[in-house]
C-alpha cells in the first residue's frame, strides 16, 4: 500500500534506519566470502523495506476505509458527467 505524503516518507526513513545496517552487514559478509550468511542478511534487509511498504497493518485500515467511503460519497464533477 502506498502511503503518500510526509508520513509515508518518515515511515520509510525509519525503516531504512534499521534496514541499511543489516544490509551493509550482509554486504560485508559477502565480501569476506561468507556467501550464505551475507545473502541472508541482505535478504532480511530487503524484506524489511518491502514489508513496510506493501504490508497492510492495523493502523492502515481506518485510513483505507475512510478513503473508500469518501470516494463513494463525494463525487467530483468529472464523475457526474
Amino acid at each position: 500500500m502506498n502511503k503518500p505524503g510526509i508520513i509515508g516518507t518518515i515511515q520509510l526513513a525509519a525503516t531504512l534506519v534499521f534496514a541499511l545496517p543489516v544490509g551493509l552487514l550482509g554486504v560485508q559478509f559477502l565480501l569476506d566470502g561468507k556467501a550464505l550468511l551475507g545473502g541472508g542478511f541482505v535478504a532480511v534487509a530487503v524484506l524489511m523495506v518491502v514489508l513496510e511498504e506493501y504490508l497492510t497493518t492495523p493502523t492502515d485500515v481506518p485510513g483505507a476505509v475512510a478513503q473508500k467511503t469518501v470516494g463513494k460519497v463525494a463525487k467530483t464533477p468529472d464523475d457526474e458527467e
Side-chain angles (χ1 to χ4, degrees):
M1 170 180 251
N2 269 340
K3 299 174 209 131
I6 190 74
I7 300 298
T9 304
I10 292 170
Q11 288 175 338
L12 178 61
T15 301
L16 288 174
V17 164
F18 294 105
L20 283 175
V22 175
L24 290 174
L25 179 64
V27 169
Q28 184 62 44
F29 278 133
L30 286 172
L31 292 175
D32 290 342
K34 300 175 183 175
L36 184 62
L37 196 55
F41 278 119
V42 169
V44 167
V46 169
L47 279 174
M48 287 171 71
V49 175
V50 168
L51 288 178
E52 190 278 329
E53 200 61 30
Y54 295 107
L55 187 68
T56 301
T57 62
T59 58
D60 295 336
V61 173
V65 170
Q67 186 175 14
K68 286 182 182 180
T69 303
V70 168
K72 289 181 181 178
V73 172
K75 299 228 183 249
T76 60
D78 294 339
D79 293 339
E80 294 173 358
E81 292 177 359

